Amino acid sequence: MGLSAAALTAGLDELAAIEPAFAAALARVGYPAPRVRATGYATLLRTIVGQQVSVRAADSVWRKLAELGDPGDPALVTALSDEDMRGCGFSRQKTGYARSLAGLVTSGALDLAALPADDEEAIAQLVAVKGIGRWSAEVYLLFAEGRPDIWPAGDLAVQIETGRILGHAERPSEKLTRALAEPWRPHRGAAAIFTWHHYGAGADAAPV
C-alpha cells in the first residue's frame, strides 16, 4: 500500500545525491508525507467518482453509494439500476465507467491482485477500463501499490514543479518532463510525490 515513509525518504535521499537541485529543494521544504491508498477495486471506483468534481461532491456520491451497500464490492454497482446510480450522483457517463470496472473485476478480466510486474504492462491493463486514463493508472500504481519508479509526467503540477526545481524559465512539456526524469530512475515515484509537496509549498518553494 503505497511507498512507506522510510522508502520515500530513502528514495529522496538517493535523488538528492544525484541531483543537486533536488537536494536544495529538499532543504527548503523538507520531506513529504507518504501518499497511500488501499489496493483494489474500491480505490479505482473512488477515482472514477472523483473525476472532474470537487472533493466534497465526490464524498457525497460515495456516501450515498455506501448507504446502498458495500462500495468495495463490485456486485453493488452491477445490481443497482441506472436510476439508483443517478440518485447517488453518478452521471450517465460515470455509471458506464463504474459498470465497466465492476464487470471486468467480477469476470476476472482485470485482476487487481495480480497486475503485471512491468509498470507499462500494468498501466495498459488499467487503461483498458473505461474512465481510467494513464494518469489515473499511474496514480493508482504509485499510491496503492507503491511502485517506486512511476512518473506521471502528464500531471500539470509535476511539470510545473520539475521545471521550478531544475530552474527552467518555462513549464516543461510532458515529453521534456519525462526526459528530464530519466536519470532519476528507479526513484521517480519519490520524485513525483516530492513535486506535489513542493507545489503545495507555494512561494516557500521558490529557489533563493
mmCIF file with all atom_site columns, all heavy atoms in Angstrom, residues 111 114-127 134 137-138 140-142 145 147-150 185 188:
data_model
loop_
_atom_site.group_PDB
_atom_site.id
_atom_site.type_symbol
_atom_site.label_atom_id
_atom_site.label_alt_id
_atom_site.label_comp_id
_atom_site.label_asym_id
_atom_site.label_entity_id
_atom_site.label_seq_id
_atom_site.pdbx_PDB_ins_code
_atom_site.Cartn_x
_atom_site.Cartn_y
_atom_site.Cartn_z
_atom_site.occupancy
_atom_site.B_iso_or_equiv
_atom_site.pdbx_formal_charge
_atom_site.auth_seq_id
_atom_site.auth_comp_id
_atom_site.auth_asym_id
_atom_site.auth_atom_id
_atom_site.pdbx_PDB_model_num
ATOM 1   N N   . ASP A 1 111 ? -7.508 -8.460  -12.833 1.00 0.00 ? 111 ASP A N   1
ATOM 2   C CA  . ASP A 1 111 ? -7.177 -8.991  -11.517 1.00 0.00 ? 111 ASP A CA  1
ATOM 3   C C   . ASP A 1 111 ? -6.267 -7.986  -10.822 1.00 0.00 ? 111 ASP A C   1
ATOM 4   O O   . ASP A 1 111 ? -5.060 -7.948  -11.066 1.00 0.00 ? 111 ASP A O   1
ATOM 5   C CB  . ASP A 1 111 ? -6.481 -10.345 -11.652 1.00 0.00 ? 111 ASP A CB  1
ATOM 6   C CG  . ASP A 1 111 ? -6.232 -11.011 -10.297 1.00 0.00 ? 111 ASP A CG  1
ATOM 7   O OD1 . ASP A 1 111 ? -6.466 -10.354 -9.261  1.00 0.00 ? 111 ASP A OD1 1
ATOM 8   O OD2 . ASP A 1 111 ? -5.791 -12.173 -10.275 1.00 0.00 ? 111 ASP A OD2 1
ATOM 9   N N   . ALA A 1 114 ? -3.132 -9.092  -9.048  1.00 0.00 ? 114 ALA A N   1
ATOM 10  C CA  . ALA A 1 114 ? -2.049 -9.720  -9.809  1.00 0.00 ? 114 ALA A CA  1
ATOM 11  C C   . ALA A 1 114 ? -1.764 -8.934  -11.088 1.00 0.00 ? 114 ALA A C   1
ATOM 12  O O   . ALA A 1 114 ? -1.661 -9.509  -12.176 1.00 0.00 ? 114 ALA A O   1
ATOM 13  C CB  . ALA A 1 114 ? -2.411 -11.167 -10.146 1.00 0.00 ? 114 ALA A CB  1
ATOM 14  N N   . LEU A 1 115 ? -1.618 -7.628  -10.969 1.00 0.00 ? 115 LEU A N   1
ATOM 15  C CA  . LEU A 1 115 ? -1.237 -6.829  -12.134 1.00 0.00 ? 115 LEU A CA  1
ATOM 16  C C   . LEU A 1 115 ? 0.197  -7.166  -12.526 1.00 0.00 ? 115 LEU A C   1
ATOM 17  O O   . LEU A 1 115 ? 1.010  -7.557  -11.688 1.00 0.00 ? 115 LEU A O   1
ATOM 18  C CB  . LEU A 1 115 ? -1.347 -5.341  -11.797 1.00 0.00 ? 115 LEU A CB  1
ATOM 19  C CG  . LEU A 1 115 ? -2.762 -4.786  -11.622 1.00 0.00 ? 115 LEU A CG  1
ATOM 20  C CD1 . LEU A 1 115 ? -2.704 -3.350  -11.114 1.00 0.00 ? 115 LEU A CD1 1
ATOM 21  C CD2 . LEU A 1 115 ? -3.543 -4.862  -12.923 1.00 0.00 ? 115 LEU A CD2 1
ATOM 22  N N   . PRO A 1 116 ? 0.519  -7.041  -13.805 1.00 0.00 ? 116 PRO A N   1
ATOM 23  C CA  . PRO A 1 116 ? 1.879  -7.360  -14.246 1.00 0.00 ? 116 PRO A CA  1
ATOM 24  C C   . PRO A 1 116 ? 2.930  -6.576  -13.476 1.00 0.00 ? 116 PRO A C   1
ATOM 25  O O   . PRO A 1 116 ? 2.702  -5.415  -13.092 1.00 0.00 ? 116 PRO A O   1
ATOM 26  C CB  . PRO A 1 116 ? 1.869  -6.962  -15.723 1.00 0.00 ? 116 PRO A CB  1
ATOM 27  C CG  . PRO A 1 116 ? 0.440  -7.029  -16.131 1.00 0.00 ? 116 PRO A CG  1
ATOM 28  C CD  . PRO A 1 116 ? -0.342 -6.611  -14.928 1.00 0.00 ? 116 PRO A CD  1
ATOM 29  N N   . ALA A 1 117 ? 4.075  -7.190  -13.260 1.00 0.00 ? 117 ALA A N   1
ATOM 30  C CA  . ALA A 1 117 ? 5.165  -6.507  -12.554 1.00 0.00 ? 117 ALA A CA  1
ATOM 31  C C   . ALA A 1 117 ? 5.723  -5.351  -13.382 1.00 0.00 ? 117 ALA A C   1
ATOM 32  O O   . ALA A 1 117 ? 6.194  -4.352  -12.826 1.00 0.00 ? 117 ALA A O   1
ATOM 33  C CB  . ALA A 1 117 ? 6.269  -7.502  -12.222 1.00 0.00 ? 117 ALA A CB  1
ATOM 34  N N   . ASP A 1 118 ? 5.689  -5.493  -14.691 1.00 0.00 ? 118 ASP A N   1
ATOM 35  C CA  . ASP A 1 118 ? 6.158  -4.423  -15.567 1.00 0.00 ? 118 ASP A CA  1
ATOM 36  C C   . ASP A 1 118 ? 5.178  -3.252  -15.495 1.00 0.00 ? 118 ASP A C   1
ATOM 37  O O   . ASP A 1 118 ? 3.970  -3.419  -15.704 1.00 0.00 ? 118 ASP A O   1
ATOM 38  C CB  . ASP A 1 118 ? 6.263  -4.934  -16.997 1.00 0.00 ? 118 ASP A CB  1
ATOM 39  C CG  . ASP A 1 118 ? 6.755  -3.859  -17.955 1.00 0.00 ? 118 ASP A CG  1
ATOM 40  O OD1 . ASP A 1 118 ? 7.970  -3.664  -18.057 1.00 0.00 ? 118 ASP A OD1 1
ATOM 41  O OD2 . ASP A 1 118 ? 5.893  -3.198  -18.589 1.00 0.00 ? 118 ASP A OD2 1
ATOM 42  N N   . ASP A 1 119 ? 5.691  -2.068  -15.207 1.00 0.00 ? 119 ASP A N   1
ATOM 43  C CA  . ASP A 1 119 ? 4.815  -0.918  -14.997 1.00 0.00 ? 119 ASP A CA  1
ATOM 44  C C   . ASP A 1 119 ? 3.971  -0.592  -16.228 1.00 0.00 ? 119 ASP A C   1
ATOM 45  O O   . ASP A 1 119 ? 2.769  -0.326  -16.120 1.00 0.00 ? 119 ASP A O   1
ATOM 46  C CB  . ASP A 1 119 ? 5.631  0.313   -14.606 1.00 0.00 ? 119 ASP A CB  1
ATOM 47  C CG  . ASP A 1 119 ? 6.242  0.196   -13.214 1.00 0.00 ? 119 ASP A CG  1
ATOM 48  O OD1 . ASP A 1 119 ? 5.742  -0.614  -12.407 1.00 0.00 ? 119 ASP A OD1 1
ATOM 49  O OD2 . ASP A 1 119 ? 7.224  0.919   -12.941 1.00 0.00 ? 119 ASP A OD2 1
ATOM 50  N N   . GLU A 1 120 ? 4.578  -0.597  -17.403 1.00 0.00 ? 120 GLU A N   1
ATOM 51  C CA  . GLU A 1 120 ? 3.836  -0.253  -18.613 1.00 0.00 ? 120 GLU A CA  1
ATOM 52  C C   . GLU A 1 120 ? 2.754  -1.291  -18.921 1.00 0.00 ? 120 GLU A C   1
ATOM 53  O O   . GLU A 1 120 ? 1.665  -0.944  -19.388 1.00 0.00 ? 120 GLU A O   1
ATOM 54  C CB  . GLU A 1 120 ? 4.778  -0.097  -19.803 1.00 0.00 ? 120 GLU A CB  1
ATOM 55  C CG  . GLU A 1 120 ? 5.625  1.169   -19.758 1.00 0.00 ? 120 GLU A CG  1
ATOM 56  C CD  . GLU A 1 120 ? 4.778  2.440   -19.741 1.00 0.00 ? 120 GLU A CD  1
ATOM 57  O OE1 . GLU A 1 120 ? 3.742  2.485   -20.435 1.00 0.00 ? 120 GLU A OE1 1
ATOM 58  O OE2 . GLU A 1 120 ? 5.142  3.391   -19.032 1.00 0.00 ? 120 GLU A OE2 1
ATOM 59  N N   . GLU A 1 121 ? 3.041  -2.543  -18.652 1.00 0.00 ? 121 GLU A N   1
ATOM 60  C CA  . GLU A 1 121 ? 2.033  -3.581  -18.858 1.00 0.00 ? 121 GLU A CA  1
ATOM 61  C C   . GLU A 1 121 ? 0.878  -3.411  -17.869 1.00 0.00 ? 121 GLU A C   1
ATOM 62  O O   . GLU A 1 121 ? -0.291 -3.598  -18.226 1.00 0.00 ? 121 GLU A O   1
ATOM 63  C CB  . GLU A 1 121 ? 2.662  -4.972  -18.707 1.00 0.00 ? 121 GLU A CB  1
ATOM 64  C CG  . GLU A 1 121 ? 3.636  -5.330  -19.844 1.00 0.00 ? 121 GLU A CG  1
ATOM 65  C CD  . GLU A 1 121 ? 4.226  -6.715  -19.661 1.00 0.00 ? 121 GLU A CD  1
ATOM 66  O OE1 . GLU A 1 121 ? 3.748  -7.468  -18.783 1.00 0.00 ? 121 GLU A OE1 1
ATOM 67  O OE2 . GLU A 1 121 ? 5.179  -7.039  -20.401 1.00 0.00 ? 121 GLU A OE2 1
ATOM 68  N N   . ALA A 1 122 ? 1.194  -3.042  -16.634 1.00 0.00 ? 122 ALA A N   1
ATOM 69  C CA  . ALA A 1 122 ? 0.154  -2.817  -15.633 1.00 0.00 ? 122 ALA A CA  1
ATOM 70  C C   . ALA A 1 122 ? -0.700 -1.612  -16.020 1.00 0.00 ? 122 ALA A C   1
ATOM 71  O O   . ALA A 1 122 ? -1.937 -1.651  -15.909 1.00 0.00 ? 122 ALA A O   1
ATOM 72  C CB  . ALA A 1 122 ? 0.785  -2.595  -14.264 1.00 0.00 ? 122 ALA A CB  1
ATOM 73  N N   . ILE A 1 123 ? -0.065 -0.557  -16.501 1.00 0.00 ? 123 ILE A N   1
ATOM 74  C CA  . ILE A 1 123 ? -0.803 0.625   -16.949 1.00 0.00 ? 123 ILE A CA  1
ATOM 75  C C   . ILE A 1 123 ? -1.732 0.257   -18.098 1.00 0.00 ? 123 ILE A C   1
ATOM 76  O O   . ILE A 1 123 ? -2.892 0.676   -18.138 1.00 0.00 ? 123 ILE A O   1
ATOM 77  C CB  . ILE A 1 123 ? 0.176  1.745   -17.357 1.00 0.00 ? 123 ILE A CB  1
ATOM 78  C CG1 . ILE A 1 123 ? 0.858  2.332   -16.116 1.00 0.00 ? 123 ILE A CG1 1
ATOM 79  C CG2 . ILE A 1 123 ? -0.548 2.854   -18.133 1.00 0.00 ? 123 ILE A CG2 1
ATOM 80  C CD1 . ILE A 1 123 ? 2.022  3.257   -16.426 1.00 0.00 ? 123 ILE A CD1 1
ATOM 81  N N   . ALA A 1 124 ? -1.243 -0.554  -19.021 1.00 0.00 ? 124 ALA A N   1
ATOM 82  C CA  . ALA A 1 124 ? -2.056 -0.964  -20.172 1.00 0.00 ? 124 ALA A CA  1
ATOM 83  C C   . ALA A 1 124 ? -3.311 -1.708  -19.719 1.00 0.00 ? 124 ALA A C   1
ATOM 84  O O   . ALA A 1 124 ? -4.393 -1.520  -20.290 1.00 0.00 ? 124 ALA A O   1
ATOM 85  C CB  . ALA A 1 124 ? -1.227 -1.829  -21.112 1.00 0.00 ? 124 ALA A CB  1
ATOM 86  N N   . GLN A 1 125 ? -3.187 -2.546  -18.712 1.00 0.00 ? 125 GLN A N   1
ATOM 87  C CA  . GLN A 1 125 ? -4.366 -3.265  -18.216 1.00 0.00 ? 125 GLN A CA  1
ATOM 88  C C   . GLN A 1 125 ? -5.358 -2.311  -17.562 1.00 0.00 ? 125 GLN A C   1
ATOM 89  O O   . GLN A 1 125 ? -6.569 -2.437  -17.739 1.00 0.00 ? 125 GLN A O   1
ATOM 90  C CB  . GLN A 1 125 ? -3.945 -4.347  -17.227 1.00 0.00 ? 125 GLN A CB  1
ATOM 91  C CG  . GLN A 1 125 ? -3.333 -5.579  -17.880 1.00 0.00 ? 125 GLN A CG  1
ATOM 92  C CD  . GLN A 1 125 ? -3.359 -6.795  -16.975 1.00 0.00 ? 125 GLN A CD  1
ATOM 93  O OE1 . GLN A 1 125 ? -4.013 -6.820  -15.934 1.00 0.00 ? 125 GLN A OE1 1
ATOM 94  N NE2 . GLN A 1 125 ? -2.634 -7.835  -17.369 1.00 0.00 ? 125 GLN A NE2 1
ATOM 95  N N   . LEU A 1 126 ? -4.847 -1.348  -16.829 1.00 0.00 ? 126 LEU A N   1
ATOM 96  C CA  . LEU A 1 126 ? -5.736 -0.418  -16.124 1.00 0.00 ? 126 LEU A CA  1
ATOM 97  C C   . LEU A 1 126 ? -6.455 0.530   -17.075 1.00 0.00 ? 126 LEU A C   1
ATOM 98  O O   . LEU A 1 126 ? -7.638 0.823   -16.901 1.00 0.00 ? 126 LEU A O   1
ATOM 99  C CB  . LEU A 1 126 ? -4.948 0.375   -15.082 1.00 0.00 ? 126 LEU A CB  1
ATOM 100 C CG  . LEU A 1 126 ? -4.449 -0.440  -13.879 1.00 0.00 ? 126 LEU A CG  1
ATOM 101 C CD1 . LEU A 1 126 ? -3.504 0.392   -13.025 1.00 0.00 ? 126 LEU A CD1 1
ATOM 102 C CD2 . LEU A 1 126 ? -5.620 -0.931  -13.036 1.00 0.00 ? 126 LEU A CD2 1
ATOM 103 N N   . VAL A 1 127 ? -5.760 1.009   -18.099 1.00 0.00 ? 127 VAL A N   1
ATOM 104 C CA  . VAL A 1 127 ? -6.410 1.958   -19.014 1.00 0.00 ? 127 VAL A CA  1
ATOM 105 C C   . VAL A 1 127 ? -7.397 1.261   -19.941 1.00 0.00 ? 127 VAL A C   1
ATOM 106 O O   . VAL A 1 127 ? -8.154 1.935   -20.655 1.00 0.00 ? 127 VAL A O   1
ATOM 107 C CB  . VAL A 1 127 ? -5.380 2.771   -19.837 1.00 0.00 ? 127 VAL A CB  1
ATOM 108 C CG1 . VAL A 1 127 ? -4.481 3.590   -18.933 1.00 0.00 ? 127 VAL A CG1 1
ATOM 109 C CG2 . VAL A 1 127 ? -4.553 1.869   -20.749 1.00 0.00 ? 127 VAL A CG2 1
ATOM 110 N N   . ARG A 1 134 ? -4.313 7.232   -18.381 1.00 0.00 ? 134 ARG A N   1
ATOM 111 C CA  . ARG A 1 134 ? -2.951 6.937   -17.954 1.00 0.00 ? 134 ARG A CA  1
ATOM 112 C C   . ARG A 1 134 ? -2.637 7.566   -16.593 1.00 0.00 ? 134 ARG A C   1
ATOM 113 O O   . ARG A 1 134 ? -2.034 6.935   -15.738 1.00 0.00 ? 134 ARG A O   1
ATOM 114 C CB  . ARG A 1 134 ? -1.936 7.418   -19.002 1.00 0.00 ? 134 ARG A CB  1
ATOM 115 C CG  . ARG A 1 134 ? -0.504 7.048   -18.634 1.00 0.00 ? 134 ARG A CG  1
ATOM 116 C CD  . ARG A 1 134 ? 0.531  7.458   -19.652 1.00 0.00 ? 134 ARG A CD  1
ATOM 117 N NE  . ARG A 1 134 ? 1.844  7.059   -19.163 1.00 0.00 ? 134 ARG A NE  1
ATOM 118 C CZ  . ARG A 1 134 ? 2.442  5.915   -19.442 1.00 0.00 ? 134 ARG A CZ  1
ATOM 119 N NH1 . ARG A 1 134 ? 1.856  5.036   -20.237 1.00 0.00 ? 134 ARG A NH1 1
ATOM 120 N NH2 . ARG A 1 134 ? 3.633  5.623   -18.950 1.00 0.00 ? 134 ARG A NH2 1
ATOM 121 N N   . ALA A 1 137 ? -4.198 5.608   -13.828 1.00 0.00 ? 137 ALA A N   1
ATOM 122 C CA  . ALA A 1 137 ? -3.494 4.333   -13.673 1.00 0.00 ? 137 ALA A CA  1
ATOM 123 C C   . ALA A 1 137 ? -2.163 4.533   -12.951 1.00 0.00 ? 137 ALA A C   1
ATOM 124 O O   . ALA A 1 137 ? -1.806 3.764   -12.048 1.00 0.00 ? 137 ALA A O   1
ATOM 125 C CB  . ALA A 1 137 ? -3.259 3.697   -15.045 1.00 0.00 ? 137 ALA A CB  1
ATOM 126 N N   . GLU A 1 138 ? -1.435 5.569   -13.334 1.00 0.00 ? 138 GLU A N   1
ATOM 127 C CA  . GLU A 1 138 ? -0.143 5.833   -12.701 1.00 0.00 ? 138 GLU A CA  1
ATOM 128 C C   . GLU A 1 138 ? -0.307 6.174   -11.228 1.00 0.00 ? 138 GLU A C   1
ATOM 129 O O   . GLU A 1 138 ? 0.462  5.697   -10.379 1.00 0.00 ? 138 GLU A O   1
ATOM 130 C CB  . GLU A 1 138 ? 0.566  6.973   -13.442 1.00 0.00 ? 138 GLU A CB  1
ATOM 131 C CG  . GLU A 1 138 ? 1.076  6.571   -14.817 1.00 0.00 ? 138 GLU A CG  1
ATOM 132 C CD  . GLU A 1 138 ? 1.596  7.744   -15.628 1.00 0.00 ? 138 GLU A CD  1
ATOM 133 O OE1 . GLU A 1 138 ? 1.120  8.882   -15.416 1.00 0.00 ? 138 GLU A OE1 1
ATOM 134 O OE2 . GLU A 1 138 ? 2.454  7.523   -16.493 1.00 0.00 ? 138 GLU A OE2 1
ATOM 135 N N   . TYR A 1 140 ? -2.733 5.263   -9.264  1.00 0.00 ? 140 TYR A N   1
ATOM 136 C CA  . TYR A 1 140 ? -3.097 4.034   -8.551  1.00 0.00 ? 140 TYR A CA  1
ATOM 137 C C   . TYR A 1 140 ? -1.851 3.196   -8.254  1.00 0.00 ? 140 TYR A C   1
ATOM 138 O O   . TYR A 1 140 ? -1.647 2.728   -7.126  1.00 0.00 ? 140 TYR A O   1
ATOM 139 C CB  . TYR A 1 140 ? -4.093 3.214   -9.365  1.00 0.00 ? 140 TYR A CB  1
ATOM 140 C CG  . TYR A 1 140 ? -4.422 1.880   -8.723  1.00 0.00 ? 140 TYR A CG  1
ATOM 141 C CD1 . TYR A 1 140 ? -5.377 1.790   -7.710  1.00 0.00 ? 140 TYR A CD1 1
ATOM 142 C CD2 . TYR A 1 140 ? -3.747 0.719   -9.100  1.00 0.00 ? 140 TYR A CD2 1
ATOM 143 C CE1 . TYR A 1 140 ? -5.643 0.580   -7.088  1.00 0.00 ? 140 TYR A CE1 1
ATOM 144 C CE2 . TYR A 1 140 ? -4.014 -0.496  -8.483  1.00 0.00 ? 140 TYR A CE2 1
ATOM 145 C CZ  . TYR A 1 140 ? -4.964 -0.562  -7.482  1.00 0.00 ? 140 TYR A CZ  1
ATOM 146 O OH  . TYR A 1 140 ? -5.219 -1.768  -6.861  1.00 0.00 ? 140 TYR A OH  1
ATOM 147 N N   . LEU A 1 141 ? -1.014 3.017   -9.254  1.00 0.00 ? 141 LEU A N   1
ATOM 148 C CA  . LEU A 1 141 ? 0.175  2.177   -9.081  1.00 0.00 ? 141 LEU A CA  1
ATOM 149 C C   . LEU A 1 141 ? 1.155  2.789   -8.082  1.00 0.00 ? 141 LEU A C   1
ATOM 150 O O   . LEU A 1 141 ? 1.852  2.071   -7.357  1.00 0.00 ? 141 LEU A O   1
ATOM 151 C CB  . LEU A 1 141 ? 0.868  1.956   -10.425 1.00 0.00 ? 141 LEU A CB  1
ATOM 152 C CG  . LEU A 1 141 ? 0.083  1.117   -11.437 1.00 0.00 ? 141 LEU A CG  1
ATOM 153 C CD1 . LEU A 1 141 ? 0.810  1.092   -12.780 1.00 0.00 ? 141 LEU A CD1 1
ATOM 154 C CD2 . LEU A 1 141 ? -0.144 -0.310  -10.930 1.00 0.00 ? 141 LEU A CD2 1
ATOM 155 N N   . LEU A 1 142 ? 1.195  4.118   -8.022  1.00 0.00 ? 142 LEU A N   1
ATOM 156 C CA  . LEU A 1 142 ? 2.096  4.794   -7.089  1.00 0.00 ? 142 LEU A CA  1
ATOM 157 C C   . LEU A 1 142 ? 1.523  4.815   -5.678  1.00 0.00 ? 142 LEU A C   1
ATOM 158 O O   . LEU A 1 142 ? 2.193  4.427   -4.716  1.00 0.00 ? 142 LEU A O   1
ATOM 159 C CB  . LEU A 1 142 ? 2.356  6.224   -7.576  1.00 0.00 ? 142 LEU A CB  1
ATOM 160 C CG  . LEU A 1 142 ? 3.269  7.096   -6.708  1.00 0.00 ? 142 LEU A CG  1
ATOM 161 C CD1 . LEU A 1 142 ? 4.635  6.443   -6.497  1.00 0.00 ? 142 LEU A CD1 1
ATOM 162 C CD2 . LEU A 1 142 ? 3.434  8.482   -7.335  1.00 0.00 ? 142 LEU A CD2 1
ATOM 163 N N   . GLU A 1 145 ? -0.140 0.691   -4.921  1.00 0.00 ? 145 GLU A N   1
ATOM 164 C CA  . GLU A 1 145 ? 0.817  -0.422  -4.976  1.00 0.00 ? 145 GLU A CA  1
ATOM 165 C C   . GLU A 1 145 ? 2.223  -0.019  -4.540  1.00 0.00 ? 145 GLU A C   1
ATOM 166 O O   . GLU A 1 145 ? 3.068  -0.882  -4.314  1.00 0.00 ? 145 GLU A O   1
ATOM 167 C CB  . GLU A 1 145 ? 0.848  -1.020  -6.381  1.00 0.00 ? 145 GLU A CB  1
ATOM 168 C CG  . GLU A 1 145 ? -0.439 -1.728  -6.772  1.00 0.00 ? 145 GLU A CG  1
ATOM 169 C CD  . GLU A 1 145 ? -0.226 -2.799  -7.823  1.00 0.00 ? 145 GLU A CD  1
ATOM 170 O OE1 . GLU A 1 145 ? 0.855  -2.838  -8.432  1.00 0.00 ? 145 GLU A OE1 1
ATOM 171 O OE2 . GLU A 1 145 ? -1.154 -3.604  -8.024  1.00 0.00 ? 145 GLU A OE2 1
ATOM 172 N N   . ARG A 1 147 ? 4.591  1.421   -6.269  1.00 0.00 ? 147 ARG A N   1
ATOM 173 C CA  . ARG A 1 147 ? 5.644  1.141   -7.253  1.00 0.00 ? 147 ARG A CA  1
ATOM 174 C C   . ARG A 1 147 ? 6.613  2.324   -7.286  1.00 0.00 ? 147 ARG A C   1
ATOM 175 O O   . ARG A 1 147 ? 6.212  3.466   -7.497  1.00 0.00 ? 147 ARG A O   1
ATOM 176 C CB  . ARG A 1 147 ? 5.034  0.879   -8.622  1.00 0.00 ? 147 ARG A CB  1
ATOM 177 C CG  . ARG A 1 147 ? 4.119  -0.339  -8.616  1.00 0.00 ? 147 ARG A CG  1
ATOM 178 C CD  . ARG A 1 147 ? 3.879  -0.861  -10.000 1.00 0.00 ? 147 ARG A CD  1
ATOM 179 N NE  . ARG A 1 147 ? 2.965  -1.997  -9.983  1.00 0.00 ? 147 ARG A NE  1
ATOM 180 C CZ  . ARG A 1 147 ? 2.901  -2.907  -10.958 1.00 0.00 ? 147 ARG A CZ  1
ATOM 181 N NH1 . ARG A 1 147 ? 3.694  -2.806  -12.020 1.00 0.00 ? 147 ARG A NH1 1
ATOM 182 N NH2 . ARG A 1 147 ? 2.047  -3.907  -10.876 1.00 0.00 ? 147 ARG A NH2 1
ATOM 183 N N   . PRO A 1 148 ? 7.905  2.073   -7.098  1.00 0.00 ? 148 PRO A N   1
ATOM 184 C CA  . PRO A 1 148 ? 8.853  3.161   -6.846  1.00 0.00 ? 148 PRO A CA  1
ATOM 185 C C   . PRO A 1 148 ? 9.252  4.001   -8.050  1.00 0.00 ? 148 PRO A C   1
ATOM 186 O O   . PRO A 1 148 ? 9.796  5.092   -7.874  1.00 0.00 ? 148 PRO A O   1
ATOM 187 C CB  . PRO A 1 148 ? 10.073 2.428   -6.279  1.00 0.00 ? 148 PRO A CB  1
ATOM 188 C CG  . PRO A 1 148 ? 10.005 1.061   -6.907  1.00 0.00 ? 148 PRO A CG  1
ATOM 189 C CD  . PRO A 1 148 ? 8.540  0.744   -6.977  1.00 0.00 ? 148 PRO A CD  1
ATOM 190 N N   . ASP A 1 149 ? 8.981  3.517   -9.277  1.00 0.00 ? 149 ASP A N   1
ATOM 191 C CA  . ASP A 1 149 ? 9.501  4.255   -10.428 1.00 0.00 ? 149 ASP A CA  1
ATOM 192 C C   . ASP A 1 149 ? 8.396  4.823   -11.317 1.00 0.00 ? 149 ASP A C   1
ATOM 193 O O   . ASP A 1 149 ? 8.618  5.120   -12.489 1.00 0.00 ? 149 ASP A O   1
ATOM 194 C CB  . ASP A 1 149 ? 10.434 3.361   -11.253 1.00 0.00 ? 149 ASP A CB  1
ATOM 195 C CG  . ASP A 1 149 ? 11.382 4.169   -12.132 1.00 0.00 ? 149 ASP A CG  1
ATOM 196 O OD1 . ASP A 1 149 ? 11.863 5.219   -11.663 1.00 0.00 ? 149 ASP A OD1 1
ATOM 197 O OD2 . ASP A 1 149 ? 11.629 3.755   -13.283 1.00 0.00 ? 149 ASP A OD2 1
ATOM 198 N N   . ILE A 1 150 ? 7.197  4.978   -10.784 1.00 0.00 ? 150 ILE A N   1
ATOM 199 C CA  . ILE A 1 150 ? 6.101  5.566   -11.549 1.00 0.00 ? 150 ILE A CA  1
ATOM 200 C C   . ILE A 1 150 ? 6.334  7.072   -11.687 1.00 0.00 ? 150 ILE A C   1
ATOM 201 O O   . ILE A 1 150 ? 6.626  7.757   -10.706 1.00 0.00 ? 150 ILE A O   1
ATOM 202 C CB  . ILE A 1 150 ? 4.748  5.300   -10.852 1.00 0.00 ? 150 ILE A CB  1
ATOM 203 C CG1 . ILE A 1 150 ? 4.441  3.800   -10.841 1.00 0.00 ? 150 ILE A CG1 1
ATOM 204 C CG2 . ILE A 1 150 ? 3.639  6.080   -11.524 1.00 0.00 ? 150 ILE A CG2 1
ATOM 205 C CD1 . ILE A 1 150 ? 4.216  3.199   -12.212 1.00 0.00 ? 150 ILE A CD1 1
ATOM 206 N N   . ARG A 1 185 ? 15.718 7.404   -12.397 1.00 0.00 ? 185 ARG A N   1
ATOM 207 C CA  . ARG A 1 185 ? 15.327 6.013   -12.215 1.00 0.00 ? 185 ARG A CA  1
ATOM 208 C C   . ARG A 1 185 ? 16.240 5.349   -11.195 1.00 0.00 ? 185 ARG A C   1
ATOM 209 O O   . ARG A 1 185 ? 17.436 5.616   -11.183 1.00 0.00 ? 185 ARG A O   1
ATOM 210 C CB  . ARG A 1 185 ? 15.434 5.240   -13.541 1.00 0.00 ? 185 ARG A CB  1
ATOM 211 C CG  . ARG A 1 185 ? 14.397 5.617   -14.590 1.00 0.00 ? 185 ARG A CG  1
ATOM 212 C CD  . ARG A 1 185 ? 14.659 4.809   -15.861 1.00 0.00 ? 185 ARG A CD  1
ATOM 213 N NE  . ARG A 1 185 ? 13.720 5.100   -16.925 1.00 0.00 ? 185 ARG A NE  1
ATOM 214 C CZ  . ARG A 1 185 ? 12.554 4.469   -17.111 1.00 0.00 ? 185 ARG A CZ  1
ATOM 215 N NH1 . ARG A 1 185 ? 12.204 3.504   -16.277 1.00 0.00 ? 185 ARG A NH1 1
ATOM 216 N NH2 . ARG A 1 185 ? 11.771 4.782   -18.104 1.00 0.00 ? 185 ARG A NH2 1
ATOM 217 N N   . ARG A 1 188 ? 11.698 7.588   -9.444  1.00 0.00 ? 188 ARG A N   1
ATOM 218 C CA  . ARG A 1 188 ? 10.841 8.641   -9.980  1.00 0.00 ? 188 ARG A CA  1
ATOM 219 C C   . ARG A 1 188 ? 9.516  8.760   -9.217  1.00 0.00 ? 188 ARG A C   1
ATOM 220 O O   . ARG A 1 188 ? 8.898  9.825   -9.209  1.00 0.00 ? 188 ARG A O   1
ATOM 221 C CB  . ARG A 1 188 ? 10.593 8.420   -11.472 1.00 0.00 ? 188 ARG A CB  1
ATOM 222 C CG  . ARG A 1 188 ? 11.864 8.566   -12.316 1.00 0.00 ? 188 ARG A CG  1
ATOM 223 C CD  . ARG A 1 188 ? 11.600 8.373   -13.790 1.00 0.00 ? 188 ARG A CD  1
ATOM 224 N NE  . ARG A 1 188 ? 11.025 7.049   -14.049 1.00 0.00 ? 188 ARG A NE  1
ATOM 225 C CZ  . ARG A 1 188 ? 10.512 6.677   -15.217 1.00 0.00 ? 188 ARG A CZ  1
ATOM 226 N NH1 . ARG A 1 188 ? 10.489 7.541   -16.230 1.00 0.00 ? 188 ARG A NH1 1
ATOM 227 N NH2 . ARG A 1 188 ? 10.028 5.465   -15.378 1.00 0.00 ? 188 ARG A NH2 1
#
